[in-house]
Amino acid sequence: MSVPNTPKVAKLAQEVHQINGFLRQQTFEGMAFDGLFRGFNQGDYPDFDWNKGGRLYAVGDGYQGLDKVEKRPLIRFNGHETVEVDIRASHLTIFHALMGAPLPGNGDPYDTGEIGRDGIKLFCAITLGAGKLPSRWSSTAGKDYRKAYDKQIARGKQPAPGTTGRLAQDYPFKTVRDIALRHIPLLKSVEGSGHTWADFQFLESQVLIQAMKSLIEEGVTTLPLHDSLICPRIYSENVSECLVRCFEDIVGVKCYIKIK
C-alpha cells in the first residue's frame, strides 16, 4: 500500500528519525547497525489506522538476527557490555489488560508449579498468535522445539530434567492445555475477543518506542528486540524502571521485567 502524507504518518516517521539520529551517533561492537524501520501489518483491514503491528526492525536484519546465546551477548554499546531487559509475558499481559482482567501468577504466569513453564509458554504463544485455542501441537511447533533442544545440547547446556526433545512426549498436549486453562482461564476468551496479535504488537511497540525516546533524553542507548531492549549493563536498572513506567502509561497495568 502507498504511504499517505498525513500528520499521523509524519509523527510516526519523525519518531523513527529521532531514534535513528541518536543511534547513529553511538559506537557499536559485535554487530552492524544500518538503522531501524517500523513495519506495520494488516494495512488492508477496515479498522487499520496505523495501529496494527508497528514493531521496530533492524535494516538488513542486523543485530536482531544474531544468535541470542553466542552472538548477542558480545554486543557492546560505546564500549560497555550489554544485557537484555525483557518484558515478561508481554502479549499475555497486554491481552489481560485489554480484557480488564488481572494477570494470574506472581511475576511469571507460565510457572504453574505443575509442569515445565516452556510448555505453558508455547501453548500461550500459539493461542494468542492464532487467535483461538489450538487442538494439538503442530508439526512446526514440534520441529521448533526439537531445534531449540538440540541447540542447548550443542552448546553444552543441560536441558530441563526429564525432557527428550520430543514435544509431544515432554509436554503432552492435553495435559498442557488443561493446566494452562486452569491457571490462565482468560485464554478461553481469545477467540471472539476482538483482540489479535497485531493489536498486542502495536501496544508493545508503542511501549518500547516511548521508553527509547525517554532514555535518549537521559543519554542512554538502547536497541529494540520486539519485547525487550538491549542496553548497557550499567543502565539496566534505569531501563527496567523506564519500561515499567511506559508500559503502565500505555497499557494501563504494570509489567514484570527480567534482566538477562
Side-chain angles (χ1 to χ4, degrees):
M1 62 176 289
S2 60
V3 179
N5 183 19
T6 66
K8 174 175 280 191
V9 172
K11 181 178 183 297
L12 292 170
Q14 178 56 37
E15 287 181 327
V16 179
H17 291 320
Q18 176 189 350
I19 291 170
N20 277 330
F22 175 79
L23 292 175
R24 289 193 175 106
Q25 299 174 38
Q26 314 309 311
T27 301
F28 301 103
E29 301 171 47
M31 55 165 279
F33 181 74
D34 295 312
L36 300 171
F37 69 93
R38 195 171 184 188
F40 290 86
N41 303 87
Q42 301 181 343
D44 57 345
Y45 277 47
D47 61 341
F48 177 78
D49 188 25
W50 302 96
N51 58 349
K52 306 290 184 181
R55 281 178 165 174
L56 288 172
Y57 296 94
V59 173
D61 205 16
Y63 69 92
Q64 291 176 340
L66 294 177
D67 185 276
K68 66 180 181 180
V69 174
E70 296 180 355
K71 298 293 186 180
R72 287 211 304 251
L74 302 179
I75 292 174
R76 299 288 183 271
F77 293 175
N78 300 316
H80 297 291
E81 67 175 56
T82 60
V83 294
E84 295 175 17
V85 182
D86 180 67
I87 302 172
R88 306 196 74 170
S90 175
H91 284 193
L92 189 62
T93 305
I94 291 171
F95 176 57
H96 277 75
L98 290 174
M99 296 294 285
L103 187 70
N106 186 23
D108 186 356
Y110 305 134
D111 185 5
T112 65
E114 294 189 59
I115 197 169
R117 70 184 301 279
D118 288 347
I120 303 297
K121 181 179 180 180
L122 180 58
F123 182 86
C124 290
I126 292 173
T127 300
L128 293 175
K132 61 181 181 180
L133 293 171
S135 59
R136 59 181 175 81
W137 293 131
S138 68
S139 59
T140 300
K143 289 176 183 177
D144 290 344
Y145 177 78
R146 182 73 201 199
K147 184 178 179 181
Y149 183 90
D150 290 342
K151 267 190 173 183
Q152 277 191 303
I153 293 177
R155 293 167 179 148
K157 296 185 69 176
Q158 184 65 38
T163 56
T164 65
R166 294 185 287 275
L167 178 59
Q169 181 172 330
D170 295 347
Y171 296 104
F173 179 80
K174 184 179 184 305
T175 301
V176 172
R177 181 195 63 195
D178 291 348
I179 293 172
L181 295 182
R182 185 162 60 249
H183 285 269
I184 314 173
L186 195 64
L187 290 173
K188 301 173 187 176
S189 302
V190 170
E191 189 171 8
S193 69
H195 305 300
T196 72
W197 62 268
D199 303 310
F200 309 147
Q201 280 194 12
F202 176 71
L203 288 173
E204 182 181 77
S205 70
Q206 291 288 91
V207 171
L208 263 62
I209 288 171
Q210 181 168 306
M212 292 179 74
K213 290 169 57 181
S214 178
L215 290 162
I216 283 173
E217 295 177 2
E218 301 176 25
V220 177
T221 305
T222 61
L223 285 175
L225 281 171
H226 305 327
D227 62 355
S228 62
L229 290 175
I230 305 176
C231 71
R233 181 181 296 276
I234 58 173
Y235 297 121
S236 60
E237 291 302 325
N238 305 58
V239 173
S240 297
E241 292 172 4
C242 185
L243 273 176
V244 170
R245 184 171 64 252
C246 292
F247 195 96
E248 187 169 14
D249 286 346
I250 290 171
V251 182
V253 299
K254 292 185 180 296
C255 64
Y256 295 101
I257 295 293
K258 181 178 181 181
I259 299 174
K260 54 186 181 179

